[in-house]
Amino acid sequence: MLFWLSCVLAGLSLHCLAWVAMRPVGRARPAPDHVRHFLLRLAWPWLDVLAAALGPWLSWRARSAAGKLIQQAGLDAAWRPEHVAAIQLMSGLLVAAAIAGGMVVLSFESGRLAAPALGAGLAAWLPWHTLARRGVQRRRLMQREFPFLLDMATLCVEAGLSLQGALQEAARHGPPGPLRDELRRSLADMRAGVVRHEALQQLAGRTGLNAVQQLVTALGQADQLGMSLGPLLRAQSEQRRSERFLRAEKLALEAPVKMLFPLVCCIFPCTFLIIGFPIAVKLIEAM
């Protein structure tokens, strides 16, 4: 059974290879510049073909979830939800074929289909988890940069600049990072003719931060009511800074709880061994 499963998986891989070979040269797309991993760039033609085959089978819910992960991870525009599904499928097939082939070579019959299926599931889950983790790390960086950019925009508005001019100065002199890149992209959209509120809404969607969404909502209400932007931005800046201190206090309070497991499992046994070993030796000699 494992032999035939290996043959089927190998046939699927050869089918994808043949499909790539029969494609016209003009339609082949190189790997995007954002893809820097050597293996991923090498497998990109197969991924592109497999993504085109998987496109009609993806549900709108899966497409929306994958698109949101791609957007929040800051990947290149060449990435599509179909590419994520193609990476998952290719990883699962390769791992399942490797496990099944190894079991055939080693004549390991216990488990049969369970081990390849489990390996394929883990291999298919890993790209999704990596993408989600990258998005979380990116949001953490943007949370650190946001208070400083907001302070710069507040000072510029209070000095007499307009909101768009203040955002330009913040994007020009702010700390380098993903938030400044997203802000520059929104400013480029504004210069291209996109309405300011719509461009800021797109910025909030790309960042995935509640703080940015709250700021965009407050700015929209201020435009509708004719409020002054200086006090509004100042209040938003103070709130973001207080939230930053609260997050730092929360992490500081969580540190003793996180240290409890290594203390109990690693440090305490060694301490008890060092203290108790001489006592045990003296008791044995006395007896």
Side-chain angles (χ1 to χ4, degrees):
M1 186 65 182
L2 290 175
F3 175 76
W4 292 110
L5 179 61
S6 303
C7 292
V8 170
L9 295 178
L12 288 175
S13 301
L14 291 175
H15 178 71
C16 293
L17 180 61
W19 194 357
V20 173
M22 290 187 296
R23 294 182 68 192
V25 179
R27 293 177 56 189
R29 297 192 311 165
D33 296 334
H34 196 84
V35 179
R36 298 180 180 179
H37 198 277
F38 173 73
L39 293 178
L40 196 56
R41 294 183 68 87
L42 188 64
W44 184 262
W46 287 271
L47 292 176
D48 198 13
V49 171
L50 194 56
L54 292 176
W57 301 96
L58 286 181
S59 63
W60 286 107
R61 181 176 298 178
R63 192 184 300 271
S64 176
K68 187 176 180 179
L69 282 180
I70 292 173
Q71 189 179 54
Q72 292 182 357
L75 296 181
D76 192 79
W79 284 89
R80 300 193 306 272
E82 293 86 351
H83 290 110
V84 179
I87 292 176
Q88 290 182 288
L89 181 59
M90 183 175 290
S91 301
L93 289 176
L94 291 177
V95 172
I99 295 176
M103 293 177 68
V104 170
V105 171
L106 298 176
S107 301
F108 190 75
E109 295 296 337
S110 62
R112 294 186 178 180
L113 297 178
L118 182 59
L122 291 176
W125 170 80
L126 187 59
W128 187 276
H129 174 71
T130 303
L131 195 61
R133 186 175 180 181
R134 178 171 180 169
V136 171
Q137 294 176 352
R138 189 168 179 265
R139 285 195 296 272
R140 289 178 180 173
L141 290 176
M142 290 189 289
Q143 283 181 347
R144 295 178 182 177
E145 301 168 9
F146 185 59
F148 185 75
L149 291 176
L150 192 55
D151 286 339
M152 293 188 62
T154 303
L155 292 176
C156 293
V157 167
E158 292 178 348
L161 289 178
S162 63
L163 178 60
Q164 188 168 350
L167 293 178
Q168 289 177 355
E169 292 298 324
R172 183 181 304 171
H173 301 287
L179 185 58
R180 190 180 71 168
D181 297 338
E182 294 294 342
L183 183 57
R184 288 181 175 179
R185 179 178 174 182
S186 298
L187 291 172
D189 292 340
M190 294 179 195
R191 289 192 295 268
V194 181
V195 182
R196 185 179 67 186
H197 183 68
E198 183 178 351
L200 293 178
Q201 284 286 354
Q202 294 176 0
L203 172 65
R206 291 194 302 269
T207 58
L209 296 177
N210 293 329
V212 179
Q213 183 62 50
Q214 293 175 6
L215 176 63
V216 172
T217 304
L219 291 176
Q221 293 177 355
D223 288 339
Q224 293 178 358
L225 300 176
M227 297 172 56
S228 178
L229 294 179
L232 174 63
L233 291 176
R234 177 66 64 182
Q236 287 284 330
S237 177
E238 292 177 355
Q239 183 178 359
R240 299 288 87 80
R241 183 167 284 101
S242 63
E243 289 177 355
R244 184 175 181 179
F245 282 115
L246 289 176
R247 285 196 300 269
E249 291 179 356
K250 180 182 177 182
L251 292 176
L253 292 174
E254 290 177 353
V257 180
K258 294 180 180 179
M259 292 175 61
L260 186 61
F261 179 77
L263 281 174
V264 173
C265 297
C266 301
I267 299 178
F268 285 169
C270 298
T271 304
F272 293 152
L273 182 62
I274 294 173
I275 295 175
F277 182 74
I279 299 175
V281 170
K282 290 183 179 181
L283 289 175
I284 293 174
E285 291 178 354
M287 296 175 61

